[in-house]
Amino acid sequence: VSADIRAERVTCKVEGGAEQQVTLTGSCAATAAQPDVLAFTCAVRGSASSSLTLTNPSSSPWQLRPTLSGDCFSGPEVVDVPAGSKVSVPITYRPLSMTSAGQPHEGSVFLPIPDGTGLLYQITGTASAPQAEAVLERQITAKLAHVELLRASNWLGRPQRFRVLVERKQADVATQLDAPQYVDVPAHSAKDVKLTVYSYTS
C-alpha cells in the first residue's frame, strides 16, 4: 500500500457558499502487534473460544469492524464499545486439519480505532487428533454376519475420499472384521460405511 494516498479535486459543498475543490491526502504506517498472543488448543473439527478485551477511553462510542485473517478463526462483524467502557471481543477457533509440531495455525485480528490508529493481535491454534465419534458395544450371534453402519461425514466444501483402517487392540482369529478400503463422500454430506463382523465362536 502506498505511503502517500491522494484524492485530488474533491468537491466540497459549503452551505451558503461557493463550491470548493480540495485535495485529500493520507498515509499508512505499519501497525505493531500487541505483545500478548491469543492461543487456542482443541481437537481437529472441534472448537475453542476465547476473547480479547477492548477499552474505549474516549468520550464517544465506537462501532468497530474487526478484520480477521486465518481460515480457522472467526469473530463478530461489528463490535460496539460504549464511551469509557470495556467490552470482550469473542474469537472462535474451528480447525478442519491437524497441526504439526511447531507449526500451528496462525492468524490475526485487526481492530481499527476511529482516531486513525488500530490494534493488531496475533492468534494461533493447535489442533490435536480427532476425538472418537462414539463407543459401540454390540451382542451378536456366532456364525452369523453382523453389519454395523458407521457414519462418515465430510465437513469440507469439496468431495473427499476417506481411507478406512480397521485396527484391533487384541488379535482374535475367531472374529473377522471387514470394511471397504475407501469411501467417497460428497461435499458437506455423509455416507454410511458398512463394517461386517463375523465370529466363529460364542
Side-chain angles (χ1 to χ4, degrees):
V1 178
S2 173
D4 184 9
I5 303 173
R6 294 175 178 269
E8 298 182 353
R9 299 185 62 80
V10 177
T11 301
C12 178
K13 296 181 179 181
V14 181
E15 186 176 355
E19 292 185 356
Q20 302 290 328
Q21 300 293 325
V22 299
T23 298
L24 304 179
T25 64
S27 62
C28 58
T31 301
Q34 299 298 305
D36 296 331
V37 177
L38 191 63
F40 298 85
T41 301
C42 71
V44 65
R45 299 191 298 279
S47 66
S49 297
S50 188
S51 62
L52 301 169
T53 300
L54 186 60
T55 302
N56 178 3
S58 72
S59 58
S60 300
W62 292 350
Q63 186 175 79
L64 311 181
R65 296 184 179 275
T67 301
L68 275 78
S69 69
D71 295 336
C72 302
F73 305 99
S74 62
E77 294 185 0
V78 178
V79 176
D80 291 308
V81 190
S85 301
K86 294 181 179 180
V87 298
S88 294
V89 182
I91 306 296
T92 301
Y93 172 57
R94 289 190 178 90
L96 299 181
S97 61
M98 292 174 56
T99 54
S100 304
Q103 295 182 330
H105 293 131
E106 295 180 335
S108 64
V109 181
F110 179 70
L111 296 161
I113 307 302
D115 62 5
T117 62
L119 297 173
L120 178 64
Y121 294 88
Q122 299 293 336
I123 50 180
T124 64
T126 301
S128 58
Q131 298 178 347
E133 295 290 335
V135 177
L136 304 177
E137 294 184 5
R138 299 288 187 268
Q139 290 185 348
I140 64 174
T141 303
K143 299 180 181 180
L144 185 64
H146 171 78
V147 177
E148 188 73 31
L149 298 180
L150 306 178
R151 197 72 165 167
S153 300
N154 181 2
W155 57 93
L156 296 182
R158 56 178 174 79
Q160 285 198 89
R161 165 168 283 192
F162 294 94
R163 184 182 178 187
V164 182
L165 298 177
V166 179
E167 298 179 350
R168 304 175 63 167
K169 292 184 178 181
Q170 295 180 347
D172 182 1
V173 295
T175 302
Q176 293 182 346
L177 301 175
D178 294 311
Q181 187 176 3
Y182 296 97
V183 58
D184 295 308
V185 185
H188 297 305
S189 186
K191 184 177 289 187
D192 289 333
V193 180
K194 292 184 178 181
L195 175 66
T196 302
V197 184
Y198 190 92
S199 178
Y200 291 94
T201 59
S202 300

